[in-house]
């Protein structure tokens, strides 16, 4: 997968992604990061890329020409027009589902704004998707784009060590992940749950499933309700595990 990032801070993108799992994916040729400096497309002899906003107001806005010309140079080089994601708090909230959708693209372009944003006409010209990473405001789109690129690249085949780890994790079945433990067996008096030492895989799987239900109910009741609503399998499961059903009801009523 190739990710083309249009930004005023290309080193911020490169430095972050050359590390750890994404760094190894780049080395292995599974992921290519093409950070394009919008400033290289400035018309100005001082390489200016921003200006005051029409109608007044504080702050500077990124100009349309350098953004669109950086994009034009990219489409010409690629010989096609890839999807362009604009990172903005005025966008749909990023999700695992959106990451899965973007991971199918061979070429993905991500546009990062800075200052007060980008001239709307540049966005109208090139943007296909607007993504926010949550309800708070960042100084620019770069950090947000790194979140998206990280989430997308771990879904590219071969990027993670084994394909199992991509689908047993939080959100894959709509529940949060169960707690995990490694050596030592006892740490500061805290013991690893006995069942995990039993070697009984069926019991381990069942314990993990129950922990996922409990944690989802506690930390993300919204997700728990989405999961359990109209879910015949879980209703049947609770018929056989009345104590668990009661524990979860108490959690949802915030009695624990
Ligand atoms: Cl994508 N950009 C900025 N500047 N702030 C944000 C954001 C994006 N998502 C949440 N806050």
């Amino acid at each position: 997968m190739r990710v083309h990032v249009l930004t005023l801070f290309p080193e911020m993108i490169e430095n972050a992604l050359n590390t750890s799992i994404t760094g190894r994916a780049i080395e292995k040729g599974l992921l290519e990061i093409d950070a394009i400096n919008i400033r290289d497309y400035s018309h100005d002899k001082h390489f200016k890329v921003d200006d005051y906003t029409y109608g007044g107001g504080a702050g500077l806005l990124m100009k349309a020409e350098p953004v669109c010309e950086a994009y034009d140079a990219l489409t010409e080089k690629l010989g096609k027009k890839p999807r362009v994601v604009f990172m903005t708090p005025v966008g749909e909230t990023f999700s695992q589902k959106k990451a899965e959708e973007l991971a199918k693209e061979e070429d993905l372009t991500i546009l990062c704004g800075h200052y007060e944003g980008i001239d709307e006409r540049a966005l109208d010209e090139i943007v296909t998707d607007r993504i926010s990473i949550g309800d708070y405001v960042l100084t620019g789109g770069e950090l947000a784009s790194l979140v998206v690129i990280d989430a997308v690249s771990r879904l590219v085949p071969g990027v993670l060590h084994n394909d199992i780890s991509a689908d047993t994790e939080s959100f894959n079945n709509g529940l949060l992940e169960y707690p995990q433990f490694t050596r030592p067996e006892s740490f500061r008096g805290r013991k690893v749950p006995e069942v995990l030492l039993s070697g009984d895989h069926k019991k381990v799987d069942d314990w993990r499933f129950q922990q996922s239900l409990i944690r989802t109910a506690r930390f993300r009741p919204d997700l728990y309700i989405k999961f359990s609503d109209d879910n015949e399998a879980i209703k049947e499961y609770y018929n056989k595990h009345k104590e668990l059903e009661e524990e979860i009801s108490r959690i949802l009523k915030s009695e624990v």
Side-chain angles (χ1 to χ4, degrees):
M1 173 175 215
R2 292 188 292 193
V3 186
H4 312 276
V5 187
L6 299 170
T7 170
L8 290 175
F9 301 95
E11 67 293 343
M12 196 171 162
I13 305 298
E14 281 159 357
N15 290 342
L17 295 172
N18 278 332
T19 312
S20 188
I21 294 176
T22 48
R24 201 188 60 218
I26 293 165
E27 271 177 28
K28 286 206 279 183
L30 298 167
L31 178 67
E32 191 181 318
I33 303 296
D34 171 30
I36 300 163
N37 195 341
I38 295 168
R39 200 174 294 281
D40 292 344
Y41 296 86
S42 166
H43 286 195
D44 191 86
K45 66 173 188 286
H46 301 109
F47 301 104
K48 208 174 83 149
V49 288
D50 51 0
D51 212 332
Y52 297 101
T53 54
Y54 281 118
L60 295 165
L61 200 65
M62 282 170 66
K63 294 162 70 63
E65 300 99 316
V67 170
C68 287
E69 287 170 32
Y71 176 73
D72 291 344
L74 174 64
T75 58
E76 198 151 313
K77 185 180 86 176
L78 293 177
K80 62 176 173 182
K81 291 195 167 185
R83 208 158 163 176
V84 180
V85 174
F86 177 46
M87 300 312 307
T88 170
V90 190
E92 66 172 296
T93 307
F94 190 54
S95 62
Q96 191 62 29
K97 187 160 164 271
K98 191 75 181 179
E100 282 161 17
E101 184 192 316
L102 296 177
K104 294 187 187 125
E105 303 289 328
E106 189 179 23
D107 283 279
L108 183 63
T109 304
I110 302 192
L111 172 61
C112 301
H114 231 85
Y115 313 112
E116 291 301 305
I118 303 182
D119 188 310
E120 194 67 25
R121 293 166 299 180
L123 305 177
D124 289 340
E125 281 276 311
I126 69 172
V127 168
T128 59
D129 304 71
R130 297 181 190 225
I131 297 180
S132 163
I133 61 162
D135 290 340
Y136 41 82
V137 182
L138 303 171
T139 56
E142 283 76 13
L143 274 176
S145 79
L146 290 169
V147 168
V148 170
I149 296 165
D150 188 286
V152 168
S153 44
R154 65 187 285 290
L155 299 174
V156 172
V159 169
L160 294 184
H161 274 302
N162 45 31
D163 288 349
I164 300 166
S165 47
D167 55 43
T168 58
E169 280 167 299
S170 298
F171 292 115
N172 221 273
N173 55 7
L175 292 174
L176 301 183
E177 202 177 23
Y178 45 79
Q180 300 197 86
F181 305 87
T182 185
R183 288 189 290 183
E185 237 178 82
S186 179
F187 173 71
R188 297 188 180 174
R190 297 169 190 271
K191 298 228 164 46
V192 172
E194 202 66 47
V195 59
L196 300 179
L197 310 173
S198 68
D200 183 336
H201 294 299
K202 207 175 156 308
K203 268 196 181 153
V204 168
D205 285 349
D206 198 46
W207 181 85
R208 286 177 168 168
F209 176 60
Q210 294 198 12
Q211 289 294 313
S212 282
L213 289 169
I214 291 166
R215 290 182 136 200
T216 308
R218 175 166 300 151
F219 296 116
R220 291 293 304 276
D222 57 321
L223 287 183
Y224 176 82
I225 285 164
K226 213 195 259 176
F227 173 83
S228 60
D229 206 35
D230 263 347
N231 186 335
E232 286 308 319
I234 196 70
K235 279 180 205 155
E236 208 167 297
Y237 186 82
Y238 285 148
N239 278 335
K240 285 181 265 160
H241 299 86
K242 285 285 175 206
E243 34 0 282
L244 178 69
E245 185 176 25
E246 282 158 18
E247 183 178 352
I248 293 198
S249 317
R250 282 196 301 275
I251 292 169
L252 291 172
K253 284 187 257 161
S254 297
E255 289 170 13
V256 284

mmCIF file of all heavy atoms in Angstrom, residues 19-58:
data_model
loop_
_atom_site.group_PDB
_atom_site.id
_atom_site.type_symbol
_atom_site.label_atom_id
_atom_site.label_comp_id
_atom_site.label_asym_id
_atom_site.label_seq_id
_atom_site.Cartn_x
_atom_site.Cartn_y
_atom_site.Cartn_z
ATOM 1 N N THR A 19 9.429 4.124 12.610
ATOM 2 C CA THR A 19 9.660 3.441 13.880
ATOM 3 C C THR A 19 8.745 2.224 14.023
ATOM 4 O O THR A 19 7.663 2.204 13.447
ATOM 5 C CB THR A 19 9.332 4.449 15.022
ATOM 6 O OG1 THR A 19 9.991 5.669 14.728
ATOM 7 C CG2 THR A 19 9.779 3.957 16.376
ATOM 8 N N SER A 20 9.222 1.216 14.754
ATOM 9 C CA SER A 20 8.373 0.098 15.197
ATOM 10 C C SER A 20 7.728 -0.688 14.045
ATOM 11 O O SER A 20 8.364 -0.916 13.023
ATOM 12 C CB SER A 20 7.328 0.638 16.179
ATOM 13 O OG SER A 20 6.603 -0.390 16.777
ATOM 14 N N ILE A 21 6.488 -1.065 14.200
ATOM 15 C CA ILE A 21 5.851 -1.991 13.251
ATOM 16 C C ILE A 21 5.696 -1.373 11.862
ATOM 17 O O ILE A 21 5.965 -2.020 10.848
ATOM 18 C CB ILE A 21 4.484 -2.470 13.807
ATOM 19 C CG1 ILE A 21 4.743 -3.318 15.061
ATOM 20 C CG2 ILE A 21 3.697 -3.252 12.762
ATOM 21 C CD1 ILE A 21 3.499 -3.790 15.779
ATOM 22 N N THR A 22 5.310 -0.093 11.802
ATOM 23 C CA THR A 22 5.186 0.544 10.487
ATOM 24 C C THR A 22 6.575 0.678 9.843
ATOM 25 O O THR A 22 6.697 0.513 8.625
ATOM 26 C CB THR A 22 4.508 1.927 10.584
ATOM 27 O OG1 THR A 22 5.130 2.668 11.635
ATOM 28 C CG2 THR A 22 3.019 1.797 10.857
ATOM 29 N N GLY A 23 7.596 0.928 10.641
ATOM 30 C CA GLY A 23 8.966 1.016 10.126
ATOM 31 C C GLY A 23 9.394 -0.286 9.479
ATOM 32 O O GLY A 23 9.992 -0.294 8.394
ATOM 33 N N ARG A 24 9.064 -1.406 10.132
ATOM 34 C CA ARG A 24 9.417 -2.703 9.567
ATOM 35 C C ARG A 24 8.621 -2.978 8.286
ATOM 36 O O ARG A 24 9.151 -3.530 7.315
ATOM 37 C CB ARG A 24 9.164 -3.806 10.613
ATOM 38 C CG ARG A 24 9.946 -5.080 10.314
ATOM 39 C CD ARG A 24 9.550 -6.210 11.239
ATOM 40 N NE ARG A 24 8.144 -6.503 11.079
ATOM 41 C CZ ARG A 24 7.322 -6.824 12.066
ATOM 42 N NH1 ARG A 24 7.755 -6.916 13.294
ATOM 43 N NH2 ARG A 24 6.044 -7.070 11.830
ATOM 44 N N ALA A 25 7.365 -2.564 8.277
ATOM 45 C CA ALA A 25 6.533 -2.749 7.071
ATOM 46 C C ALA A 25 7.115 -1.961 5.896
ATOM 47 O O ALA A 25 7.081 -2.418 4.750
ATOM 48 C CB ALA A 25 5.097 -2.309 7.351
ATOM 49 N N ILE A 26 7.649 -0.777 6.178
ATOM 50 C CA ILE A 26 8.276 0.031 5.129
ATOM 51 C C ILE A 26 9.532 -0.682 4.615
ATOM 52 O O ILE A 26 9.723 -0.820 3.407
ATOM 53 C CB ILE A 26 8.601 1.453 5.659
ATOM 54 C CG1 ILE A 26 7.307 2.222 5.947
ATOM 55 C CG2 ILE A 26 9.481 2.227 4.657
ATOM 56 C CD1 ILE A 26 7.476 3.477 6.792
ATOM 57 N N GLU A 27 10.349 -1.180 5.551
ATOM 58 C CA GLU A 27 11.571 -1.917 5.173
ATOM 59 C C GLU A 27 11.247 -3.141 4.326
ATOM 60 O O GLU A 27 11.965 -3.457 3.383
ATOM 61 C CB GLU A 27 12.313 -2.393 6.429
ATOM 62 C CG GLU A 27 13.308 -1.391 6.970
ATOM 63 C CD GLU A 27 13.961 -1.877 8.249
ATOM 64 O OE1 GLU A 27 14.067 -3.124 8.430
ATOM 65 O OE2 GLU A 27 14.348 -1.025 9.057
ATOM 66 N N LYS A 28 10.166 -3.824 4.687
ATOM 67 C CA LYS A 28 9.782 -5.037 3.954
ATOM 68 C C LYS A 28 9.100 -4.726 2.621
ATOM 69 O O LYS A 28 8.756 -5.634 1.864
ATOM 70 C CB LYS A 28 8.823 -5.897 4.805
ATOM 71 C CG LYS A 28 9.535 -6.624 5.952
ATOM 72 C CD LYS A 28 8.804 -7.896 6.373
ATOM 73 C CE LYS A 28 7.637 -7.634 7.296
ATOM 74 N NZ LYS A 28 6.968 -8.864 7.768
ATOM 75 N N GLY A 29 8.838 -3.431 2.365
ATOM 76 C CA GLY A 29 8.200 -3.038 1.108
ATOM 77 C C GLY A 29 6.690 -3.263 1.089
ATOM 78 O O GLY A 29 6.063 -3.204 0.033
ATOM 79 N N LEU A 30 6.097 -3.501 2.255
ATOM 80 C CA LEU A 30 4.646 -3.703 2.323
ATOM 81 C C LEU A 30 3.907 -2.364 2.376
ATOM 82 O O LEU A 30 2.734 -2.260 2.039
ATOM 83 C CB LEU A 30 4.291 -4.513 3.577
ATOM 84 C CG LEU A 30 4.865 -5.921 3.652
ATOM 85 C CD1 LEU A 30 4.707 -6.500 5.041
ATOM 86 C CD2 LEU A 30 4.167 -6.805 2.616
ATOM 87 N N LEU A 31 4.636 -1.360 2.839
ATOM 88 C CA LEU A 31 4.048 -0.037 3.031
ATOM 89 C C LEU A 31 5.034 0.993 2.491
ATOM 90 O O LEU A 31 6.246 0.861 2.709
ATOM 91 C CB LEU A 31 3.840 0.167 4.542
ATOM 92 C CG LEU A 31 3.281 1.501 5.020
ATOM 93 C CD1 LEU A 31 1.837 1.662 4.550
ATOM 94 C CD2 LEU A 31 3.323 1.564 6.555
ATOM 95 N N GLU A 32 4.491 1.956 1.740
ATOM 96 C CA GLU A 32 5.363 3.024 1.247
ATOM 97 C C GLU A 32 4.760 4.348 1.706
ATOM 98 O O GLU A 32 3.567 4.582 1.530
ATOM 99 C CB GLU A 32 5.417 2.940 -0.282
ATOM 100 C CG GLU A 32 6.480 3.819 -0.899
ATOM 101 C CD GLU A 32 6.486 3.735 -2.427
ATOM 102 O OE1 GLU A 32 6.354 2.606 -2.963
ATOM 103 O OE2 GLU A 32 6.578 4.786 -3.065
ATOM 104 N N ILE A 33 5.595 5.175 2.345
ATOM 105 C CA ILE A 33 5.117 6.483 2.800
ATOM 106 C C ILE A 33 5.776 7.550 1.940
ATOM 107 O O ILE A 33 6.993 7.664 1.884
ATOM 108 C CB ILE A 33 5.435 6.734 4.296
ATOM 109 C CG1 ILE A 33 4.833 5.642 5.185
ATOM 110 C CG2 ILE A 33 4.960 8.124 4.727
ATOM 111 C CD1 ILE A 33 3.316 5.560 5.191
ATOM 112 N N ASP A 34 4.937 8.317 1.260
ATOM 113 C CA ASP A 34 5.402 9.351 0.351
ATOM 114 C C ASP A 34 4.930 10.683 0.945
ATOM 115 O O ASP A 34 3.791 11.082 0.731
ATOM 116 C CB ASP A 34 4.766 9.036 -1.020
ATOM 117 C CG ASP A 34 4.960 10.116 -2.056
ATOM 118 O OD1 ASP A 34 5.980 10.821 -1.990
ATOM 119 O OD2 ASP A 34 4.087 10.225 -2.943
ATOM 120 N N ALA A 35 5.806 11.308 1.754
ATOM 121 C CA ALA A 35 5.429 12.577 2.397
ATOM 122 C C ALA A 35 5.798 13.731 1.466
ATOM 123 O O ALA A 35 6.968 13.930 1.143
ATOM 124 C CB ALA A 35 6.119 12.705 3.746
ATOM 125 N N ILE A 36 4.790 14.461 1.023
ATOM 126 C CA ILE A 36 4.976 15.531 0.030
ATOM 127 C C ILE A 36 4.852 16.884 0.724
ATOM 128 O O ILE A 36 3.843 17.153 1.391
ATOM 129 C CB ILE A 36 3.894 15.401 -1.069
ATOM 130 C CG1 ILE A 36 4.022 14.038 -1.771
ATOM 131 C CG2 ILE A 36 3.993 16.558 -2.061
ATOM 132 C CD1 ILE A 36 2.782 13.647 -2.559
ATOM 133 N N ASN A 37 5.883 17.708 0.564
ATOM 134 C CA ASN A 37 5.856 19.029 1.199
ATOM 135 C C ASN A 37 5.082 20.028 0.338
ATOM 136 O O ASN A 37 5.512 20.383 -0.765
ATOM 137 C CB ASN A 37 7.290 19.515 1.424
ATOM 138 C CG ASN A 37 7.336 20.695 2.385
ATOM 139 O OD1 ASN A 37 6.315 21.368 2.600
ATOM 140 N ND2 ASN A 37 8.498 20.933 2.964
ATOM 141 N N ILE A 38 3.953 20.463 0.848
ATOM 142 C CA ILE A 38 3.101 21.410 0.111
ATOM 143 C C ILE A 38 3.867 22.706 -0.186
ATOM 144 O O ILE A 38 3.651 23.347 -1.213
ATOM 145 C CB ILE A 38 1.803 21.692 0.911
ATOM 146 C CG1 ILE A 38 0.955 20.418 1.028
ATOM 147 C CG2 ILE A 38 1.000 22.828 0.289
ATOM 148 C CD1 ILE A 38 -0.190 20.515 2.016
ATOM 149 N N ARG A 39 4.803 23.056 0.707
ATOM 150 C CA ARG A 39 5.584 24.285 0.525
ATOM 151 C C ARG A 39 6.394 24.260 -0.784
ATOM 152 O O ARG A 39 6.669 25.308 -1.368
ATOM 153 C CB ARG A 39 6.519 24.505 1.727
ATOM 154 C CG ARG A 39 6.997 25.944 1.874
ATOM 155 C CD ARG A 39 7.808 26.149 3.147
ATOM 156 N NE ARG A 39 7.032 25.980 4.365
ATOM 157 C CZ ARG A 39 6.215 26.891 4.873
ATOM 158 N NH1 ARG A 39 6.077 28.080 4.281
ATOM 159 N NH2 ARG A 39 5.539 26.662 5.978
ATOM 160 N N ASP A 40 6.742 23.060 -1.251
ATOM 161 C CA ASP A 40 7.478 22.954 -2.516
ATOM 162 C C ASP A 40 6.642 23.458 -3.700
ATOM 163 O O ASP A 40 7.164 23.647 -4.785
ATOM 164 C CB ASP A 40 7.880 21.489 -2.797
ATOM 165 C CG ASP A 40 8.933 20.977 -1.813
ATOM 166 O OD1 ASP A 40 9.563 21.822 -1.124
ATOM 167 O OD2 ASP A 40 9.117 19.749 -1.730
ATOM 168 N N TYR A 41 5.344 23.613 -3.499
ATOM 169 C CA TYR A 41 4.457 24.057 -4.579
ATOM 170 C C TYR A 41 3.977 25.495 -4.374
ATOM 171 O O TYR A 41 3.018 25.933 -5.001
ATOM 172 C CB TYR A 41 3.263 23.081 -4.712
ATOM 173 C CG TYR A 41 3.760 21.709 -5.121
ATOM 174 C CD1 TYR A 41 4.177 20.799 -4.145
ATOM 175 C CD2 TYR A 41 3.892 21.363 -6.461
ATOM 176 C CE1 TYR A 41 4.690 19.556 -4.501
ATOM 177 C CE2 TYR A 41 4.399 20.125 -6.829
ATOM 178 C CZ TYR A 41 4.794 19.227 -5.847
ATOM 179 O OH TYR A 41 5.300 18.004 -6.211
ATOM 180 N N SER A 42 4.676 26.222 -3.512
ATOM 181 C CA SER A 42 4.357 27.631 -3.285
ATOM 182 C C SER A 42 4.723 28.440 -4.520
ATOM 183 O O SER A 42 5.683 28.137 -5.220
ATOM 184 C CB SER A 42 5.153 28.133 -2.081
ATOM 185 O OG SER A 42 5.115 29.529 -2.041
ATOM 186 N N HIS A 43 3.928 29.477 -4.800
ATOM 187 C CA HIS A 43 4.218 30.342 -5.948
ATOM 188 C C HIS A 43 5.129 31.488 -5.536
ATOM 189 O O HIS A 43 5.579 32.263 -6.360
ATOM 190 C CB HIS A 43 2.919 30.968 -6.467
ATOM 191 C CG HIS A 43 2.067 29.992 -7.195
ATOM 192 N ND1 HIS A 43 1.033 30.364 -7.993
ATOM 193 C CD2 HIS A 43 2.118 28.635 -7.247
ATOM 194 C CE1 HIS A 43 0.462 29.299 -8.506
ATOM 195 N NE2 HIS A 43 1.100 28.232 -8.062
ATOM 196 N N ASP A 44 5.299 31.629 -4.265
ATOM 197 C CA ASP A 44 5.852 32.831 -3.666
ATOM 198 C C ASP A 44 7.365 32.723 -3.552
ATOM 199 O O ASP A 44 7.876 31.653 -3.262
ATOM 200 C CB ASP A 44 5.218 32.891 -2.268
ATOM 201 C CG ASP A 44 5.455 34.197 -1.596
ATOM 202 O OD1 ASP A 44 4.658 35.126 -1.830
ATOM 203 O OD2 ASP A 44 6.439 34.271 -0.844
ATOM 204 N N LYS A 45 8.063 33.842 -3.741
ATOM 205 C CA LYS A 45 9.525 33.749 -3.636
ATOM 206 C C LYS A 45 9.968 33.514 -2.189
ATOM 207 O O LYS A 45 11.081 33.076 -1.939
ATOM 208 C CB LYS A 45 10.220 34.958 -4.271
ATOM 209 C CG LYS A 45 9.999 36.306 -3.610
ATOM 210 C CD LYS A 45 10.917 37.351 -4.275
ATOM 211 C CE LYS A 45 10.934 38.690 -3.571
ATOM 212 N NZ LYS A 45 9.739 39.517 -3.748
ATOM 213 N N HIS A 46 9.085 33.814 -1.244
ATOM 214 C CA HIS A 46 9.391 33.504 0.166
ATOM 215 C C HIS A 46 8.762 32.178 0.603
ATOM 216 O O HIS A 46 8.683 31.894 1.787
ATOM 217 C CB HIS A 46 8.928 34.648 1.074
ATOM 218 C CG HIS A 46 9.576 35.956 0.728
ATOM 219 N ND1 HIS A 46 8.870 36.989 0.145
ATOM 220 C CD2 HIS A 46 10.862 36.370 0.819
ATOM 221 C CE1 HIS A 46 9.707 38.002 -0.083
ATOM 222 N NE2 HIS A 46 10.921 37.651 0.321
ATOM 223 N N PHE A 47 8.277 31.392 -0.341
ATOM 224 C CA PHE A 47 7.666 30.076 -0.083
ATOM 225 C C PHE A 47 6.456 30.167 0.850
ATOM 226 O O PHE A 47 6.181 29.270 1.627
ATOM 227 C CB PHE A 47 8.702 29.083 0.471
ATOM 228 C CG PHE A 47 9.863 28.868 -0.457
ATOM 229 C CD1 PHE A 47 11.099 29.459 -0.199
ATOM 230 C CD2 PHE A 47 9.714 28.116 -1.610
ATOM 231 C CE1 PHE A 47 12.171 29.283 -1.078
ATOM 232 C CE2 PHE A 47 10.782 27.928 -2.496
ATOM 233 C CZ PHE A 47 12.013 28.516 -2.226
ATOM 234 N N LYS A 48 5.729 31.271 0.721
ATOM 235 C CA LYS A 48 4.551 31.466 1.571
ATOM 236 C C LYS A 48 3.418 30.535 1.119
ATOM 237 O O LYS A 48 3.180 30.384 -0.077
ATOM 238 C CB LYS A 48 4.092 32.932 1.484
ATOM 239 C CG LYS A 48 3.385 33.416 2.732
ATOM 240 C CD LYS A 48 3.073 34.916 2.653
ATOM 241 C CE LYS A 48 1.798 35.117 1.863
ATOM 242 N NZ LYS A 48 1.009 36.271 2.276
ATOM 243 N N VAL A 49 2.741 29.919 2.058
ATOM 244 C CA VAL A 49 1.645 29.003 1.710
ATOM 245 C C VAL A 49 0.340 29.392 2.405
ATOM 246 O O VAL A 49 -0.674 28.720 2.254
ATOM 247 C CB VAL A 49 1.982 27.541 2.088
ATOM 248 C CG1 VAL A 49 3.030 26.952 1.154
ATOM 249 C CG2 VAL A 49 2.430 27.431 3.538
ATOM 250 N N ASP A 50 0.373 30.471 3.191
ATOM 251 C CA ASP A 50 -0.826 30.861 3.932
ATOM 252 C C ASP A 50 -1.125 32.345 3.742
ATOM 253 O O ASP A 50 -0.279 33.098 3.270
ATOM 254 C CB ASP A 50 -0.659 30.540 5.423
ATOM 255 C CG ASP A 50 0.646 31.084 5.988
ATOM 256 O OD1 ASP A 50 1.421 31.703 5.241
ATOM 257 O OD2 ASP A 50 0.895 30.884 7.179
ATOM 258 N N ASP A 51 -2.343 32.732 4.101
ATOM 259 C CA ASP A 51 -2.738 34.131 3.934
ATOM 260 C C ASP A 51 -3.931 34.430 4.842
ATOM 261 O O ASP A 51 -4.526 33.517 5.409
ATOM 262 C CB ASP A 51 -3.097 34.374 2.455
ATOM 263 C CG ASP A 51 -2.775 35.802 2.003
ATOM 264 O OD1 ASP A 51 -2.790 36.726 2.861
ATOM 265 O OD2 ASP A 51 -2.531 35.975 0.794
ATOM 266 N N TYR A 52 -4.285 35.736 4.933
ATOM 267 C CA TYR A 52 -5.414 36.137 5.773
ATOM 268 C C TYR A 52 -6.730 35.645 5.178
ATOM 269 O O TYR A 52 -6.832 35.420 3.981
ATOM 270 C CB TYR A 52 -5.420 37.663 5.941
ATOM 271 C CG TYR A 52 -4.170 38.124 6.659
ATOM 272 C CD1 TYR A 52 -3.105 38.677 5.959
ATOM 273 C CD2 TYR A 52 -4.045 37.935 8.041
ATOM 274 C CE1 TYR A 52 -1.930 39.054 6.614
ATOM 275 C CE2 TYR A 52 -2.892 38.304 8.699
ATOM 276 C CZ TYR A 52 -1.835 38.854 7.984
ATOM 277 O OH TYR A 52 -0.692 39.201 8.634
ATOM 278 N N THR A 53 -7.738 35.490 6.044
ATOM 279 C CA THR A 53 -9.039 34.994 5.559
ATOM 280 C C THR A 53 -9.921 36.143 5.082
ATOM 281 O O THR A 53 -9.995 37.182 5.743
ATOM 282 C CB THR A 53 -9.803 34.250 6.686
ATOM 283 O OG1 THR A 53 -9.895 35.127 7.816
ATOM 284 C CG2 THR A 53 -9.100 32.985 7.104
ATOM 285 N N TYR A 54 -10.603 35.925 3.950
ATOM 286 C CA TYR A 54 -11.628 36.881 3.513
ATOM 287 C C TYR A 54 -12.716 36.946 4.564
ATOM 288 O O TYR A 54 -13.105 35.915 5.124
ATOM 289 C CB TYR A 54 -12.240 36.436 2.180
ATOM 290 C CG TYR A 54 -11.385 36.761 0.971
ATOM 291 C CD1 TYR A 54 -10.881 35.751 0.161
ATOM 292 C CD2 TYR A 54 -11.119 38.090 0.650
ATOM 293 C CE1 TYR A 54 -10.113 36.045 -0.949
ATOM 294 C CE2 TYR A 54 -10.340 38.392 -0.469
ATOM 295 C CZ TYR A 54 -9.845 37.371 -1.259
ATOM 296 O OH TYR A 54 -9.088 37.673 -2.350
ATOM 297 N N GLY A 55 -13.218 38.139 4.817
ATOM 298 C CA GLY A 55 -14.266 38.320 5.824
ATOM 299 C C GLY A 55 -13.701 38.605 7.202
ATOM 300 O O GLY A 55 -14.450 38.885 8.141
ATOM 301 N N GLY A 56 -12.398 38.502 7.314
ATOM 302 C CA GLY A 56 -11.730 38.826 8.582
ATOM 303 C C GLY A 56 -11.695 37.660 9.539
ATOM 304 O O GLY A 56 -12.124 36.551 9.217
ATOM 305 N N GLY A 57 -11.195 37.916 10.721
ATOM 306 C CA GLY A 57 -11.058 36.861 11.723
ATOM 307 C C GLY A 57 -9.594 36.545 11.957
ATOM 308 O O GLY A 57 -8.745 36.854 11.123
ATOM 309 N N ALA A 58 -9.357 35.918 13.101
ATOM 310 C CA ALA A 58 -7.980 35.668 13.515
ATOM 311 C C ALA A 58 -7.367 34.527 12.713
ATOM 312 O O ALA A 58 -8.063 33.635 12.241
ATOM 313 C CB ALA A 58 -7.955 35.316 15.002
#
